[in-house]
Amino acid sequence: MTDQWWVGVRQRLEAAGAGPSGSRVFGALGHRWIVEDPLTQGELAELEAQTDVRLPEEYRTFLLHVGAGGAGPAYGLFPVRRVQGRWRWEGDGADLADLTRLAAPFPDQGPDPKLLDDLLAQRPEEEDFDDIEDFDDAIEAWDERWEAIMFAPERTAGAIVISHLGCAQREWLIINGSHRGTIWSDCRVDDVDLAPLLDDDGTPVTFARWYTDWLEKAERTALSAP
């Protein structure tokens, strides 16, 4: 059972938050080491019925045994909450996930790399323009073409945003499809495509590994002498 990952985690978070250097952990001033209450079995069932998808086991057991969100990697784990009778994830960029597409599989392949390379090669450069307004118009038109490909809604079907790293960089949890349960990096704001987080041996990082690795590193900082 994957709930073994979460034994004692709430207590460890509380201890880290009270540690002499708890405020030095990156993002701690944002999540303040607060963990929301866990979901009940009934609430989880309602959430999964609304989204029409069973959440990955490591994540769903986290929701049941640790909390609905809060203290976690970067600026924290986006909480899932019921708002006006409907469930949704909340956080900076959480609305990038289309909740009507969660039951669809996350795509196995992104855009054609050659298409992206060609488009990047066509990006306007300011020195090629005599008039700054002409450059602004050209870069705006290029941005529209780039974003239409990179941020197409089908790119992130079957996935939710779960963390914000700052500077519009985020991380996604894949909840449906062949990559189900894995964490993906989103640096599209820096013209870098979505990519899975990989362990040292090249194994895709799953939710439990992602969270517990963060907690172990955070504890080393939080419990150290100031």
Side-chain angles (χ1 to χ4, degrees):
M1 294 292 292
T2 52
D3 57 359
Q4 66 185 329
W5 288 98
W6 313 124
V7 175
V9 164
R10 284 187 69 95
Q11 293 78 7
R12 291 170 63 187
L13 290 167
E14 182 178 353
S21 299
S23 62
R24 291 175 49 210
V25 173
F26 175 74
L29 296 180
H31 58 68
R32 295 178 295 161
W33 293 101
I34 295 172
V35 187
E36 301 202 1
D37 291 337
L39 298 186
T40 65
Q41 288 283 359
E43 288 171 332
L44 179 61
E46 185 179 89
L47 167 63
E48 293 182 327
Q50 179 188 306
T51 56
D52 196 29
V53 62
R54 181 181 174 88
L55 297 172
E57 290 303 313
E58 293 176 356
Y59 180 56
R60 73 192 310 273
T61 53
F62 180 94
L63 296 176
L64 289 171
H65 298 285
V66 182
Y75 289 102
L77 178 64
F78 286 0
V80 58
R81 297 170 175 151
R82 188 197 290 113
V83 180
Q84 296 180 341
R86 300 290 293 175
W87 288 92
R88 71 185 187 196
W89 283 265
E90 297 190 328
D92 187 341
D95 56 354
L96 289 172
D98 185 346
L99 301 188
T100 67
R101 293 175 178 263
L102 297 186
F106 183 78
D108 287 329
Q109 293 183 325
D112 181 349
K114 185 177 184 306
L115 173 65
L116 296 182
D117 288 344
D118 289 347
L119 190 52
L120 282 171
Q122 297 166 20
R123 180 171 182 164
E125 299 293 341
E126 187 173 350
E127 57 266 25
D128 295 333
F129 292 80
D130 295 326
D131 189 320
I132 189 62
E133 291 186 359
D134 289 341
F135 169 71
D136 288 343
D137 290 342
I139 197 68
E140 182 177 347
W142 184 89
D143 280 340
E144 289 180 358
R145 294 171 60 199
W146 178 259
E147 291 181 5
I149 296 173
M150 297 295 281
F151 290 90
E154 59 269 19
R155 295 291 320 283
T156 50
I160 56 172
V161 189
I162 57 168
S163 184
H164 180 228
L165 285 67
C167 300
Q169 297 181 1
R170 300 178 175 87
E171 290 178 323
W172 294 69
L173 171 64
I174 313 306
I175 64 174
N176 209 0
S178 61
H179 301 285
R180 183 175 183 269
T182 60
I183 305 292
W184 284 54
S185 169
D186 183 356
C187 294
R188 289 176 292 176
V189 66
D190 296 323
D191 300 337
V192 177
D193 201 9
L194 296 162
L197 297 186
L198 301 176
D199 216 333
D200 292 339
D201 62 0
T203 303
V205 172
T206 63
F207 178 81
R209 181 61 182 268
W210 174 78
Y211 193 90
T212 55
D213 274 3
W214 165 79
L215 180 54
E216 290 171 4
K217 293 173 183 175
E219 286 174 317
R220 287 198 290 271
T221 298
L223 301 177
S224 64

